[in-house]
Amino acid sequence: MKKFQRVFSIIPSLPKSLQPLVDISRNVWFAWNKEAIKLFQRLDPALWRETHHNPVLLLRSISQDRADEVAKDEGYLAQIDRVYLEFEQYVKYGAAFYSSPDKHPDFQVAYFSAEYGLTDCVPFYSGGLGVLAGDHLKSASDLRIPLVAVGLLYKKGFFSQYIDEKGLQGETYPATEVENLPISRVLDPNGVQLSIQVDFAGRATVAKIWKIDVGRVNLYLLDTDAPENNHEYRNTSEHLYGGDRDMRIRQEILLGIGGMRALEVLGIKPTVFHMNEGHASFAALERTRQLMKSGGLSFHQAKKVAITQCVFTTHTPVPAGNDRFEQHLMEKYFRNYANELGISFHDFMGLGRENPQNHAETFCMTVLALKLSCKANGVSQLHSQVSRKMWKNVWPALPLEELPINHITNGVHVPSWVSIELSTLYDRYLGSQWGEDPDVEKIWKRVDDIPDSELWRTHSRRREALVAFVRRKVREQLVRQGAHKSLVKEAGSVLDPEVLTIGFARRFATYKRGNLIFQDPDRLEKILNNEKRPVQIVFAGKAHPQDNEGKDIIRRIVNSTKEPRFKNKLVFLENYNMNIARFMVQGVDIWLNNPLRPLEACGTSGMKAAINGSLNFSILDGWWCEGYSGDNGWSIGRGEEYQEREYQDEVESGNIYNLLEHEIAPLFYERGADNVPRKWVAVMKNCLRTICPAFNSHKMLENYARSFYIPAHEKGNVLLGQGLQAGKELAYWLEKVESRWGGIRINEVSYENGRVSAVGDSVRINVEVFLNELQPEDVAVDLYHGHVDSKVNFLDNEIISLAADACIDKKNFIFSGRIPCGETGRHGFMVRILPNHENLISPYQTGMILWG
């Protein structure tokens, strides 16, 4: 007879004096407050590490004897009181981000992301996108930007990586015990967990709502693991980026459409909707549907209003990273939704196509977001340029430089990534505001006040901590692989805490070239084993489970670490995560990054290293194009782009070897009598002074707020006010302009002064326009002018608005203006006409433009 075991847990009965620990453990604020971390670490250091820095599980697992013991420790109780007081004050008080909160009393941002990297114990991220999203929420909390976030609750998260004895990557998917995480159910007044419904191919599917407190910000997560769902759809939110295309489209429906419905159920009324990457693009469609329902608008009218409230960030310059879905899959899941929107399925597909009339084109989530957003950005200056080239067909009538994809460079949440030792040093010499106001340049100028010896010894202690950590991890890897005892014992001598240490850790996509430094193994051996100036390298990172090329790169690196000539000089750490990243960015001397330019969108790991005084050694790609100043790290090349991959690898690997051998290692080992490399420390200080105030998530959030959030909020409020009166007027106006736009034409362009003008003169331009029953105030007539080359291509450009000067009749008008002659050379100009209305955030989003 089969026996059925019932399982239950016994947790310690925490004394009343320890109860504040429970409140602190339930808010991810603990993850970036050094005193809170020390509080839990001090409770049981070994258990803190075993629980992956999870205070909820720590408090459930600690022995009753230990709980009773610390409850009598007056020093520990005093520490609890201090931290809890700081926690309460943080959550309840603080200066508002914008100077006049009364001006925007209902301002609320809704942030949608498929992944969030918040802290070690919440495994809802795969890499840089998720960690960036987590830093976004933390800075929004610190700055008190009214923001609520939406994501999915993945019961099995992203995969855990293991490396076998042959160097092959394997994957496991350990289940997440939600009750042991800082996550809570969202309940209605009757104690029932709130939920929403989405339609999956005609079948209603329920998603329960959970919440994570991130300081002052709430992150709501949707979970389809509900007994009322059928088996096929119940596992939709089980894995991050798991399954096939069918699974992926369901996850994105759940995130975008389900996320919007969750906010509605919660009674939250955002005024701005931020889609972080294309995964969340369906949110803009659902916002359109909501406006149709509440305002009695048609789809096309509601869409025009919804666009003013939606903003979009694209993160990948690699075409494969932008989700596309075949028509049959879209028809399966969206045929009914298109009917509900009141549009044909053909028109619905056109929303996600660069060319809406191309029936063979797949539905692209990035295209959908670009079409349904008033503001869009890449995550670095170079990335915005690459993105404009990638998506130029969305706006075929616009010059490349005019495409409405701007840039807001990513940043990192400084308190989350700086080491405790270094933060203590910053407190002493920079003042207490460096963590709260990391974007203030004058604060970081004080790094010159830090004695070279103190900065160096603090950094050296972190290198020692990294080496100790690596040895422990290598030992654990070898034990799991069943290695011989002698090999396990040798793990104690891996790396040297005094040697120049390079870190290379990231997703092992092929374009990131994880094995570039192995291009010439003999040259590398010579550098690593230099008797006077040795070097060592720590590698970490995952390849996507289906990326066999990336897995092969990992295999080759792992097998290289076993070669006698590289013994104890090379290490590959399995299962790269936030904890490993923290040890590496805080402990390495050099952060190596060598992607194929321009395929690195940003690369925030280098910023994390920089705030810890680790120096970047990178291709001029992503953020490093903006961060590199010539004296704050090293560049690999000068930003060249190559046609031939083999030649590029040869040139750039040679550059790496030369710089390591002739510049970097000599500078590191050039010591004075006190064993301090003062020239190296000078570069460290240049790094801190130039990078810290410029590349942090506080500055990034301020840029989003000023350039994206506040303008979208203000314009959206105008359109939604008085029963959507202004929104309806804008929609009707756009319909009028669209109906007449095809008949507009430029009859004649004339200009004075002939074809030659002198510096100081100006050229008067007259443009006769047939407006086809539109009025002059309905359009903006611009001069697009600048220097041109021999083929009459613009080398630069400036835009001058022309004024309506004369009315020929009811349909024809003269617009005039002057081009100042400021510089010599060959100049050219073009005339363009755009729609013009005070409530348009961007005329480019209308798709209407006429060039003369």
Side-chain angles (χ1 to χ4, degrees):
M1 177 179 172
K2 187 176 180 181
K3 296 181 179 179
F4 178 75
Q5 287 185 321
R6 289 173 170 81
V7 179
F8 65 96
S9 299
I10 300 176
I11 63 174
S13 177
L14 291 181
K16 186 177 180 180
S17 57
L18 300 186
Q19 286 300 316
L21 292 175
V22 176
D23 290 345
I24 297 171
S25 74
R26 306 299 305 187
N27 192 311
V28 177
W29 172 85
F30 72 78
W32 73 90
N33 184 277
K34 307 304 181 188
E35 291 305 312
I37 292 171
K38 290 177 183 177
L39 198 61
F40 292 115
Q41 192 175 35
R42 184 176 168 186
L43 195 59
D44 190 326
L47 191 57
W48 177 243
R49 189 167 63 244
E50 290 170 18
T51 59
H52 303 290
H53 308 147
N54 182 347
V56 174
L57 185 56
L58 176 75
L59 294 177
R60 288 171 172 261
S61 306
I62 192 172
S63 70
Q64 187 65 53
D65 288 344
R66 178 57 180 161
D68 293 338
E69 179 185 356
V70 296
K72 299 171 185 175
D73 184 335
E74 293 185 5
Y76 187 75
L77 296 180
Q79 187 180 5
I80 289 178
D81 290 342
R82 288 195 303 272
V83 175
Y84 191 60
L85 177 62
E86 184 180 354
F87 171 65
E88 285 190 309
Q89 290 177 334
Y90 177 89
V91 172
K92 294 180 181 178
Y93 307 108
F97 163 71
Y98 39 83
S99 57
S100 303
D102 293 339
K103 186 178 179 183
H104 306 291
D106 57 345
F107 174 46
Q108 176 81 65
V109 179
Y111 182 83
F112 294 76
S113 182
E115 52 176 297
Y116 292 91
L118 295 166
T119 186
D120 305 350
C121 62
V122 183
F124 301 156
Y125 66 97
S126 70
L129 173 68
V131 174
L132 182 280
D135 284 1
H136 195 107
L137 302 196
K138 293 172 185 177
S139 278
S141 173
D142 287 345
L143 294 169
R144 286 200 70 194
I145 294 176
L147 183 144
V148 62
V150 179
L152 304 185
L153 191 150
Y154 305 101
K155 291 286 180 68
K156 293 189 177 180
F158 199 52
F159 73 90
S160 290
Q161 175 200 54
Y162 66 88
I163 306 296
D164 69 15
E165 63 277 4
K166 296 180 180 179
L168 299 175
Q169 171 182 297
E171 300 90 28
T172 61
Y173 295 86
T176 300
E177 297 180 349
V178 180
E179 65 273 13
N180 288 330
L181 294 176
I183 300 176
S184 58
R185 301 173 188 269
V186 180
L187 307 177
D188 68 13
N190 298 317
V192 178
Q193 186 169 8
L194 285 177
S195 63
I196 56 96
Q197 280 191 356
V198 290
D199 179 281
F200 286 158
R203 185 184 289 269
T205 302
V206 170
K208 297 177 291 185
I209 305 176
W210 302 74
K211 184 182 73 162
I212 299 180
D213 293 324
V214 186
R216 303 179 179 107
V217 166
N218 292 329
L219 165 59
Y220 294 100
L221 302 172
L222 299 178
D223 168 27
T224 55
D225 184 16
E228 53 265 56
N229 292 333
N230 77 332
H231 177 72
E232 182 184 1
Y233 296 154
R234 183 170 179 172
N235 68 349
T236 296
S237 62
E238 188 173 63
H239 294 289
L240 171 59
Y241 302 143
D244 55 14
R245 303 306 296 167
D246 198 281
M247 173 74 82
R248 176 64 68 88
I249 197 170
R250 292 204 310 272
Q251 289 189 339
E252 298 186 358
I253 291 169
L254 183 62
L255 175 62
I257 296 175
M260 290 293 293
R261 292 178 183 178
L263 295 175
E264 201 169 20
V265 166
L266 291 163
I268 298 170
K269 298 179 179 179
T271 57
V272 181
F273 303 89
H274 186 170
M275 297 172 287
N276 188 47
E277 193 54 285
H279 312 123
S281 301
F282 292 138
L285 282 177
E286 181 66 7
R287 179 56 180 159
T288 302
R289 191 194 66 82
Q290 289 178 346
L291 289 170
M292 291 174 64
K293 183 179 177 182
S294 64
L297 303 176
S298 70
F299 170 76
H300 295 289
Q301 291 169 338
K303 182 184 74 169
K304 292 172 174 63
V305 179
I307 284 172
T308 65
Q309 293 187 292
C310 294
V311 300
F312 170 59
T313 299
T314 176
H315 285 265
T316 174
V318 182
N322 296 273
D323 282 341
R324 289 181 177 272
F325 298 111
E326 298 290 338
Q327 178 163 328
H328 71 88
L329 203 55
M330 292 299 298
E331 192 161 10
K332 174 181 177 181
Y333 285 101
F334 282 97
R335 170 68 71 177
N336 292 340
Y337 196 80
N339 291 336
E340 193 174 347
L341 295 176
I343 59 175
S344 70
F345 186 73
H346 171 72
D347 287 345
F348 184 89
M349 286 294 295
L351 294 169
R353 288 170 170 161
E354 296 176 55
N355 178 2
Q357 305 310 316
N358 181 0
H359 291 233
E361 188 180 336
T362 54
F363 188 98
C364 178
M365 297 295 282
T366 302
V367 171
L368 176 66
L370 289 170
K371 288 184 176 181
L372 298 186
S373 300
C374 66
K375 300 275 188 177
N377 71 288
V379 291
S380 70
Q381 194 171 50
L382 178 60
H383 179 227
S384 69
Q385 297 169 14
V386 173
S387 297
R388 286 193 285 270
K389 291 178 183 177
M390 284 181 68
W391 305 112
K392 61 186 179 185
N393 291 334
V394 177
W395 301 277
L398 280 177
L400 198 62
E401 62 274 11
E402 287 291 298
L403 296 185
I405 303 177
N406 300 309
H407 86 276
I408 293 179
T409 302
N410 284 343
V412 298
H413 187 249
V414 174
S416 291
W417 294 102
V418 71
S419 71
I420 290 177
E421 295 88 341
L422 201 54
S423 66
T424 302
L425 193 68
Y426 290 164
D427 286 342
R428 190 180 311 140
Y429 291 99
L430 307 186
S432 60
Q433 298 299 306
W434 66 269
E436 297 175 19
D437 300 309
D439 55 329
V440 177
E441 289 186 16
K442 67 179 181 181
I443 289 177
W444 294 99
K445 288 180 180 178
R446 298 174 193 156
V447 297
D448 290 331
D449 297 335
I450 304 175
D452 290 355
S453 58
E454 282 195 59
L455 180 57
W456 178 247
R457 285 169 189 142
T458 301
H459 175 69
S460 295
R461 283 195 293 274
R462 288 311 308 171
R463 191 189 317 107
E464 292 167 6
L466 170 63
V467 170
F469 174 78
V470 167
R471 289 172 176 173
R472 184 172 73 248
K473 296 295 288 184
V474 171
R475 191 180 300 113
E476 292 171 359
Q477 289 176 207
L478 291 170
V479 169
R480 186 191 50 71
Q481 292 172 359
H484 193 275
K485 288 183 179 179
S486 61
L487 286 177
V488 176
K489 186 177 180 180
E490 287 178 4
S493 57
V494 167
L495 304 184
D496 184 329
E498 301 296 327
V499 165
L500 171 61
T501 304
I502 298 173
F504 183 98
R506 52 195 32 86
R507 184 166 53 89
F508 267 75
T510 51
Y511 76 86
K512 292 178 183 284
R513 297 189 294 178
N515 60 339
L516 182 64
I517 201 167
F518 293 93
Q519 186 80 4
D520 185 343
D522 295 335
R523 183 87 184 271
L524 179 61
E525 176 191 3
K526 179 183 175 184
I527 292 170
L528 298 186
N529 293 311
N530 186 293
E531 197 171 316
K532 295 182 179 179
R533 297 188 292 269
V535 179
Q536 57 195 11
I537 310 176
V538 182
F539 292 91
K542 299 177 178 180
H544 189 278
Q546 297 172 2
D547 183 2
N548 292 325
E549 287 185 76
K551 288 183 175 182
D552 190 58
I553 293 173
I554 290 175
R555 180 189 61 79
R556 282 183 275 164
I557 293 174
V558 171
N559 289 332
S560 294
T561 68
K562 300 175 183 178
E563 294 183 33
R565 59 178 171 173
F566 295 136
K567 186 176 182 181
N568 297 335
K569 297 288 188 179
L570 298 177
V571 175
F572 189 97
L573 298 179
E574 66 181 5
N575 201 32
Y576 185 48
N577 56 28
M578 290 179 73
N579 189 42
I580 292 175
R582 195 176 297 108
F583 271 96
M584 289 186 67
V585 299
Q586 292 174 2
V588 299
D589 303 295
I590 290 291
W591 193 258
L592 178 63
N593 188 29
N594 44 236
L596 288 168
R597 177 187 162 107
L599 300 183
E600 183 82 282
C602 187
T604 52
S605 59
M607 301 175 189
K608 300 179 183 90
I611 64 175
N612 285 284
S614 300
L615 303 180
N616 277 267
F617 180 28
S618 176
I619 296 287
L620 286 173
D621 197 7
W623 79 280
W624 192 230
C625 299
E626 301 163 55
Y628 177 62
S629 64
D631 60 358
N632 61 355
W634 288 271
S635 71
I636 302 168
R638 296 183 176 87
E640 302 90 346
E641 294 178 22
Y642 298 78
Q643 298 299 317
E644 187 181 337
R645 171 69 184 273
E646 278 189 28
Y647 178 67
Q648 179 175 3
D649 288 351
E650 181 183 345
V651 170
E652 293 181 338
S653 63
N655 200 334
I656 290 173
Y657 298 139
N658 289 334
L659 285 168
L660 276 176
E661 195 169 17
H662 302 301
E663 287 190 34
I664 295 174
L667 194 69
F668 180 86
Y669 287 105
E670 184 183 331
R671 311 290 174 91
D674 56 0
N675 201 34
V676 175
R678 297 193 179 277
K679 291 182 180 179
W680 183 278
V681 173
V683 181
M684 288 175 67
K685 289 184 175 181
N686 290 339
C687 164
L688 295 173
R689 192 187 309 107
T690 57
I691 293 173
C692 291
F695 299 97
N696 60 79
S697 53
H698 278 35
K699 181 172 183 177
M700 176 187 75
L701 257 293
E702 289 169 352
N703 287 334
Y704 274 116
R706 293 193 182 100
S707 301
F708 280 29
Y709 296 164
I710 296 296
H713 163 79
E714 291 178 336
K715 197 64 69 177
N717 267 11
V718 169
L719 298 183
L720 293 170
Q722 296 180 328
L724 267 171
Q725 180 178 338
K728 292 176 180 177
E729 289 175 357
L730 176 64
Y732 296 143
W733 176 84
L734 279 168
E735 289 176 351
K736 178 189 73 173
V737 173
E738 286 171 352
S739 68
R740 292 166 173 75
W741 193 261
I744 291 176
R745 64 177 181 267
I746 297 172
N747 293 329
E748 183 182 0
V749 178
S750 61
Y751 55 105
E752 299 173 355
N753 299 1
R755 293 185 176 272
V756 179
S757 297
V759 171
D761 289 345
S762 64
V763 179
R764 180 179 173 84
I765 311 294
N766 296 315
V767 181
E768 182 184 326
V769 180
F770 172 73
L771 287 183
N772 194 25
E773 297 185 351
L774 294 179
Q775 296 303 306
E777 58 268 24
D778 292 327
V779 298
V781 181
D782 298 328
L783 287 178
Y784 187 92
H785 77 98
H787 289 86
V788 294
D789 61 18
S790 59
K791 296 181 180 179
V792 201
N793 296 312
F794 282 99
L795 302 174
D796 52 38
N797 69 83
E798 187 178 341
I799 295 169
I800 295 176
S801 297
L802 302 184
D805 244 13
C807 173
I808 299 175
D809 54 42
K810 291 182 178 181
K811 295 184 179 181
N812 293 277
F813 300 86
I814 300 292
F815 290 79
S816 302
R818 290 184 176 275
I819 300 176
C821 300
E823 295 182 18
T824 58
R826 196 174 191 213
H827 293 253
F829 72 88
M830 298 174 70
V831 177
R832 71 177 188 187
I833 304 178
L834 291 163
N836 178 56
H837 191 283
E838 62 179 354
N839 287 329
L840 278 179
I841 290 184
S842 170
Y844 301 137
Q845 292 298 340
T846 66
M848 292 179 281
I849 184 170
L850 175 67
W851 290 92

